[in-house]
Amino acid sequence: LGILNKEVKEAITRIYDSSNTLANIVDDYLNISRIELGTMKYSFEVLNMKDLVEHVIGELKPNIEKSGLEFAFTSVPTDPQERFMVHADRDKFKQVIANLIDNSIKYTPKGSLAVSLVKDTANRKIVFSVKDTGVGISPEVMPKLFAKFVRADNANKQNIYGTGLGLFVAKEIVTAHKGRIWAESDGDGKGSTFFLEMDMEV
């Protein structure tokens, strides 16, 4: 398109962001319909979760850079050849990981975001986590965090748009994978950490 002036770039960016928001909302409602009707289909395969996480981070890189947050991804063991194998639906699992990272970006106005992947060989588990320095989760909200249409009060304060369906859908997908998903926080303004635990494949 050639050289674009600042005003045109800003307009295109707004259109792009709005289109993404709309697409995500439609996707959430379609997933809810499939879950409630029992028609959600899964294509399970053995995959390397580290590759999947790195792919999602690559896709979210523009959002991460735009946020201005310090960002880090670590995996344990640290050997680059180490494989973190799980039995999962690639696309649906990618959606869960993207949702958790994107949520932390939205709810962290400043500070840092740390993504980690740990292979717990002793317990045969793979644990993915996203730790942020964001707005945190109050004790009142925590028990219903993964319920339908639940949004924290501080979402409106941060001008964050959403349906309150993302974490519900994520929990349903993880449950179908026989995994576990949960969050921890010391309360409002004290950041939060989301965890996703899966059985390790040979």
Side-chain angles (χ1 to χ4, degrees):
L1 296 174
I3 298 173
L4 302 177
N5 63 42
K6 182 182 177 183
E7 288 74 17
V8 172
K9 282 183 181 178
E10 288 176 352
I12 292 173
T13 300
R14 282 198 300 271
I15 293 169
Y16 176 76
D17 289 344
S18 296
S19 298
N20 272 345
T21 299
L22 181 59
N24 289 335
I25 290 171
V26 171
D27 201 39
D28 279 343
Y29 278 104
L30 287 174
N31 280 326
I32 288 292
S33 297
R34 295 184 189 110
I35 288 167
E36 292 185 337
L37 292 171
T39 58
M40 183 78 101
K41 301 202 182 310
Y42 296 90
S43 299
F44 291 98
E45 61 180 298
V46 177
L47 53 87
N48 187 347
M49 195 162 162
K50 184 179 179 183
D51 290 344
L52 202 61
V53 172
E54 288 177 337
H55 182 75
V56 170
I57 289 172
E59 287 190 343
L60 292 176
K61 189 176 179 181
N63 287 357
I64 294 169
E65 291 177 346
K66 184 179 175 183
S67 72
L69 300 171
E70 288 182 32
F71 180 85
F73 170 52
T74 57
S75 57
V76 179
T78 57
D79 184 347
Q81 302 305 315
E82 193 74 41
R83 284 151 50 95
F84 297 74
M85 308 308 289
V86 295
H87 189 236
D89 180 304
R90 184 179 299 273
D91 289 337
K92 302 241 176 7
F93 222 59
K94 179 180 160 187
Q95 178 184 345
V96 172
I97 292 167
N99 181 286
L100 294 180
I101 296 175
D102 196 45
N103 260 8
S104 283
I105 294 171
K106 288 176 182 174
Y107 284 92
T108 307
K110 61 180 180 178
S112 62
L113 195 66
V115 175
S116 89
L117 195 58
V118 177
K119 180 192 272 190
D120 182 354
T121 306
N123 295 305
R124 302 204 56 74
K125 299 290 184 183
I126 303 289
V127 182
F128 167 82
S129 67
V130 185
K131 179 180 178 63
D132 65 55
T133 58
V135 298
I137 305 164
S138 69
E140 296 77 25
V141 171
M142 188 65 81
K144 53 188 180 180
L145 190 63
F146 291 90
K148 258 191 303 188
F149 301 115
V150 170
R151 299 190 71 222
D153 293 337
N154 51 22
N156 294 325
K157 292 176 187 175
Q158 294 297 321
N159 199 27
I160 297 165
Y161 300 100
T163 58
L165 294 173
L167 290 178
F168 172 78
V169 171
K171 185 174 178 64
E172 291 295 316
I173 291 173
V174 172
T175 300
H177 281 73
K178 296 182 171 58
R180 193 162 71 98
I181 186 170
W182 73 98
E184 295 177 3
S185 175
D186 290 331
D188 284 334
K190 297 181 179 178
S192 57
T193 306
F194 283 81
F195 297 90
L196 168 55
E197 182 185 79
M198 290 285 291
D199 289 333
M200 184 194 305
E201 285 292 310
V202 177

